[in-house]
Amino acid sequence: MEVLNQLIPESLSLPVAVFLLASSTITSMITASLGAGGGVLLLVLMASWMPPAAIIPVHGMIQLGSNVGRAALTWRNIDWRVIAAFLPGVIVGAALGALLLVNLPAHIWQLTIALFVLYLCWGPALPKGAFGAPGVFLASALTSFVSLFVGATGPLVAAFIKQIHTDRFRTVATFATAMTLQHAPKALVFGAAGFMFFEWLPFILAMIACGFAGTWLGLHVLRSLSNSKFTLIFNIVLTALAIRLLWQANLSAGWW
């Protein structure tokens, strides 16, 4: 109990911290087994109890650690050709985001991400040229830019990578590596903006450790799925996330 109290920032109670640690395990298991969804679910849970200023930077560091663990466990399946094109886009998008640090209207990014995810899941396949180096670079730059402000671009990146690969392990491994790159600049950007990571560091490390355990469990579940079943479940999970974003866009804009 004393150890847990030392891990917890002053703004969190012990029961909430324990709940979030358990949530890190469960959401990482969801992402490892179903391909996506866990990061957004964890973001929603963190937003319910954490100080607003800490949500995106802390979530970014937790997701960085979780994706590093997932990539390490699946490194043999990573598509390094895609990652080589993704990395420059991360650098450009994060640099632009750090320079601008603007607050985008919530309903705009929510609606845009949701519609793109739905199109990538159920619409006509994108032309093959979209998955070459220029297309991957553009997708990486745009999502990396937006991720600094909203922290919820994972479904869009996942849906894009799903269009490239049909093998479930290839999809999970490449997505984990791409998100590792996308979350990495957040420490530098938010640190330069004055966010005090030191206060949250023990809690972040504990969340990452719990997430690694969830990833290990989730990969065992993934082995029991066929590629076709994984693709169907993957599309359903991403669609549910897109519908949630559409509902949030409606609430943010006050359309109904």
Side-chain angles (χ1 to χ4, degrees):
M1 190 68 68
E2 183 63 30
V3 174
L4 278 176
N5 285 326
Q6 292 176 358
L7 296 176
I8 301 170
E10 293 182 0
S11 54
L12 293 182
S13 67
L14 180 59
V16 167
V18 171
F19 174 77
L20 291 177
L21 288 169
S23 299
S24 182
T25 300
I26 295 170
T27 55
S28 289
M29 184 172 69
I30 289 172
T31 300
S33 58
L34 303 183
V40 174
L41 177 56
L42 183 62
L43 181 64
V44 171
L45 295 173
M46 290 171 62
S48 300
W49 287 285
M50 287 178 52
I55 295 169
I56 292 180
V58 172
H59 178 264
M61 293 304 95
I62 293 169
Q63 288 301 293
L64 172 60
S66 293
N67 281 289
V68 166
R70 196 171 304 117
L73 290 173
T74 59
W75 67 273
R76 295 179 186 276
N77 302 102
I78 296 170
D79 185 339
W80 293 108
R81 177 187 58 84
V82 171
I83 297 304
F86 197 88
L87 177 57
V90 169
I91 295 172
V92 171
L96 288 175
L99 287 174
L100 298 177
L101 282 177
V102 295
N103 289 319
L104 299 176
H107 65 280
I108 291 179
W109 64 258
Q110 289 163 338
L111 181 63
T112 302
I113 292 175
L115 292 178
F116 267 113
V117 168
L118 290 174
Y119 177 85
L120 290 171
C121 285
W122 306 108
L126 293 174
K128 291 184 178 180
F131 305 114
V136 174
F137 170 84
L138 182 60
S140 172
L142 290 174
T143 55
S144 297
F145 174 83
V146 176
S147 72
L148 290 174
F149 312 108
V150 303
T153 56
L156 182 54
V157 177
F160 183 80
I161 290 177
K162 182 216 57 139
Q163 291 249 336
I164 303 175
H165 296 297
T166 56
D167 179 78
R168 61 196 187 283
F169 282 99
R170 198 87 159 152
T171 299
V172 169
T174 306
F175 174 55
T177 308
M179 294 310 294
T180 295
L181 296 176
Q182 196 165 84
H183 285 297
K186 291 184 179 181
L188 180 61
V189 172
F190 285 107
F195 183 76
M196 301 299 293
F197 279 106
F198 182 77
E199 176 188 351
W200 290 87
L201 186 59
F203 178 71
I204 290 173
L205 294 176
M207 290 285 282
I208 290 172
C210 290
F212 186 83
T215 293
W216 185 83
L217 292 171
L219 289 176
H220 280 72
V221 175
L222 183 63
R223 292 188 180 95
S224 68
L225 299 175
S226 65
N227 284 330
S228 59
K229 184 178 292 186
F230 171 80
T231 298
L232 176 61
I233 296 173
F234 194 34
N235 285 342
I236 292 172
V237 170
L238 289 175
T239 299
L241 295 174
I243 291 172
R244 175 182 171 273
L245 283 172
L246 289 174
W247 177 248
Q248 285 183 312
N250 165 63
L251 295 179
S252 299
W255 291 324
W256 299 341

